[in-house]
Amino acid sequence: QIPCMYTNCMNLLIPIVGSVLGKEWIPFTSMYMIIQVTLMWTHGRILISGETKVSLKKIFGNLNIICIFIGLALGLMQIPLPSLLAGAMESICSMLGPISMVITGMLIGGADLKKIIRMPGVWKVVFLRLLAYPTIVLLIFKFTGIAALVPSLHDSSVSELRYCGYCAALKEHGI
């Protein structure tokens, strides 16, 4: 269930949007990621552990959730970071995409692909995330008229914002 619902979109979504659209569009991807990470570390944790009782102390004590709130507070209050810290974070952010790809390559290289391909659950996840979900979303957009609710495609900021969402949706489904 979890691989179909949640994904680690953080590794490549920010570098893709930042390089294609510019740094000013990263907050829009960050909003998507805040929701995704929060759900992954709350609902996903419940699914994995099997606990039906939700512990707010465990949820809000999670380092990922704490970092989300700190970043959200800094962003909303427009508190600038010291230049040394901002420079260090900039360097780390610029390496996020390449390091993610190196780690992914190492994991794939060390995996027994024949064993993975023979796992029955893998094909269900691949089918749902790469074919079924995107097709359902496209059909919903086409037949409900949701796409018509968006202002003119000629407005570049709307097109860029839509592209940001498109990148998030594609990354969400492993594309």
Side-chain angles (χ1 to χ4, degrees), residues 120-149:
V122 169
W123 293 108
K124 180 180 177 184
V125 171
V126 168
F127 172 75
L128 289 173
R129 288 185 59 172
L130 298 179
L131 296 173
Y133 292 164
T135 303
I136 291 168
V137 169
L138 286 173
L139 291 173
I140 289 171
F141 279 18
K142 181 175 175 81
F143 293 115
T144 61
I146 290 175
L149 297 175

Side-chain angles (χ1 to χ4, degrees), residues 17-148:
V17 170
S19 65
V20 172
L21 300 176
K23 293 180 183 179
E24 63 272 9
W25 288 96
I26 290 177
F28 294 103
T29 59
S30 297
M31 288 180 225
Y32 168 80
M33 290 175 5
I34 287 170
I35 294 167
Q36 189 71 1
V37 169
T38 304
L39 286 171
M40 186 171 60
W41 284 100
T42 54
H43 181 245
R45 185 182 180 282
I46 291 168
L47 289 175
I48 290 173
S49 68
E51 297 176 11
T52 55
K53 186 177 178 184
V54 177
S55 169
L56 292 178
K57 184 178 178 180
K58 285 183 180 178
I59 290 171
F60 291 108
N62 182 300
L63 184 59
N64 294 294
I65 303 298
I66 292 169
C67 289
I68 285 173
F69 283 119
I70 291 171
L72 192 59
L74 289 173
L76 291 175
M77 292 188 276
Q78 297 182 354
I79 299 173
L81 295 174
S83 61
L84 181 65
L85 183 59
M89 289 181 70
E90 182 75 27
S91 296
I92 291 170
C93 288
S94 66
M95 286 301 299
L96 184 62
I99 291 293
S100 297
M101 296 311 297
V102 169
I103 292 172
T104 301
M106 289 170 38
L107 290 171
I108 291 172
D112 182 5
L113 294 180
K114 288 181 182 178
K115 182 179 177 183
I116 293 172
I117 289 172
R118 291 184 185 133
M119 294 172 64
V122 169
W123 293 108
K124 180 180 177 184
V125 171
V126 168
F127 172 75
L128 289 173
R129 288 185 59 172
L130 298 179
L131 296 173
Y133 292 164
T135 303
I136 291 168
V137 169
L138 286 173
L139 291 173
I140 289 171
F141 279 18
K142 181 175 175 81
F143 293 115
T144 61
I146 290 175

